[in-house]
Amino acid sequence: MRIGVLTGGGDCPGLNAVIRAVVRKSDTRNSRVVGLRNGWKGLLDPSPMDLDSKMVSGILHVGGTIIGTSRTNPFKDASGPEKVLKNFKLLRLDTLIAIGGEDTLGAASKLYDMGLPVVGVPKTIDNDLAGTDFTFGFDTAVSIATDAIDRIHTTAESHNRVMVVEVMGRHAGWIATYSGIAGGADVILVPEIPIDLDEVCDLILRRHSRGKSFSIVVVAEGAQFAEKPGEKGTLILQEKQTDEFGHVRLGGISQVLAKAIEHRTKYETRFVVLGHIQRGGSPTAHDRVLATRFGVYATDMVHQGDYGKMAALQGNRIVAVPLAEATSKLKTVDPEIYNMAKEFFG
Ligand code: F6P
């Protein structure tokens, strides 16, 4: 069997661990693996690379992806899907493993409906893909953000400052919630709940009235100020231009928030944007294990012809869930976890 593999969307620690697992497992089945470079671009404008055990040796712990990634949307141009199907045949592929988040796997789901024998692997540091309890990459991003919050704690305390830490999370505040809990944040702000500035400042003032001289606020990049109580406001953007999937570039909420907090509370406030640091470098042991389990399972799925599905983690078991189901909605933060985190606010 000839198996194509691609990695799409934002990169994520653990991608190489999945690629390695797919190649090693395929070896045991006498199947060949072909790397399709730079996401869906690899099937629109192919420059394939044969992947063998030698090529994936030593990459388990390495961040990024050896086959490259991009935010190419095969449905952007009307001729795109036909091109993908045609090149798939020209490359003499029997099946495809697409490793990606909502956009990459959303395209995979539509292409499956058009006849592409594809299996998905759930990737994103944001952990917002439905159908799976966790995506690989999330644990690494949370560890990096938690380490940063720990470091910010000491400087916040030395200077008696409020520090606003901006983490990734376009639609969902999973990284903010988990790193906020782990790092002992005094306020956590997520895209799911509009920011109430009065409440944020009250929490900080209350904390300082208890004798604390510093506070840590963790905010997800996709969090928005409420324009009216209970309503969502406007996203803070770096650029209005959208990518091929229609996403704007977020970033800057921490700066706006820091200014507003300082203005209202009169406490000196600073902000820090963690940005792509959260996506770079070596995956945690947890993510290496999860990525390996996903890669092995997805390889079994393609050999069984179990197409149109994604390897997913449910409880501690890897199962197959339909791509259509996984990409039909986003997985936002569990209110039970967020409400628990709130008990430590202020
Ligand atoms: O992978 C998802 C994500 O991490 C989002 O949280 C973030 O908005 C986006 O990627 C930024 O990615 P890039 O700058 O690579 O387009």
Side-chain angles (χ1 to χ4, degrees), residues 149-163 183-187 203-217 267-268 346:
I149 295 167
D150 288 348
R151 289 167 189 278
I152 284 160
H153 244 108
T154 59
T155 170
E157 191 163 8
S158 306
H159 288 269
N160 300 325
R161 283 173 176 157
V162 177
M163 295 292 294
D186 305 301
V187 183
L203 284 165
I204 294 168
L205 288 165
R206 194 177 80 192
R207 180 176 149 82
H208 288 228
S209 73
R210 283 195 288 114
K212 296 286 181 187
S213 61
F214 71 97
S215 291
I216 307 284
V217 177
Y267 296 129
E268 193 179 18

Side-chain angles (χ1 to χ4, degrees), residues 139-312:
D139 184 68
T140 307
V142 169
S143 300
I144 295 168
T146 303
D147 181 54
I149 295 167
D150 288 348
R151 289 167 189 278
I152 284 160
H153 244 108
T154 59
T155 170
E157 191 163 8
S158 306
H159 288 269
N160 300 325
R161 283 173 176 157
V162 177
M163 295 292 294
V164 183
V165 185
E166 181 172 325
V167 297
M168 279 190 174
R170 173 179 288 280
H171 310 289
W174 287 102
I175 299 177
T177 304
Y178 270 60
S179 64
I181 293 171
D186 305 301
V187 183
I188 301 170
L189 301 166
V190 294
E192 290 86 342
I193 302 166
I195 302 172
D196 178 340
L197 193 57
D198 293 333
E199 196 186 332
V200 172
C201 293
D202 284 351
L203 284 165
I204 294 168
L205 288 165
R206 194 177 80 192
R207 180 176 149 82
H208 288 228
S209 73
R210 283 195 288 114
K212 296 286 181 187
S213 61
F214 71 97
S215 291
I216 307 284
V217 177
V218 175
V219 60
E221 61 181 350
Q224 301 169 42
F225 287 104
E227 272 167 2
K228 289 184 203 142
E231 271 185 22
K232 281 218 166 192
T234 324
L235 284 167
I236 308 290
L237 309 181
Q238 274 189 45
E239 253 179 41
K240 282 205 176 118
Q241 219 182 334
T242 56
D243 66 17
E244 292 194 6
F245 287 94
H247 303 306
V248 284
R249 262 183 74 197
L250 298 178
I253 181 75
S254 55
Q255 184 172 11
V256 180
L257 194 59
K259 222 174 169 183
I261 290 172
E262 185 168 277
H263 179 73
R264 292 220 189 174
T265 62
K266 309 293 176 228
Y267 296 129
E268 193 179 18
T269 307
R270 296 280 196 272
F271 69 94
V272 56
V273 182
L274 299 188
H276 294 79
I277 289 170
Q278 294 159 97
R279 279 204 337 223
S282 195
T284 57
H286 174 92
D287 276 337
R288 293 181 204 185
V289 173
L290 185 59
T292 301
R293 291 179 76 192
F294 281 153
V296 167
Y297 198 89
T299 310
D300 280 338
M301 286 167 75
V302 294
H303 284 95
Q304 285 155 13
D306 202 8
Y307 301 128
K309 295 183 186 165
M310 171 186 96

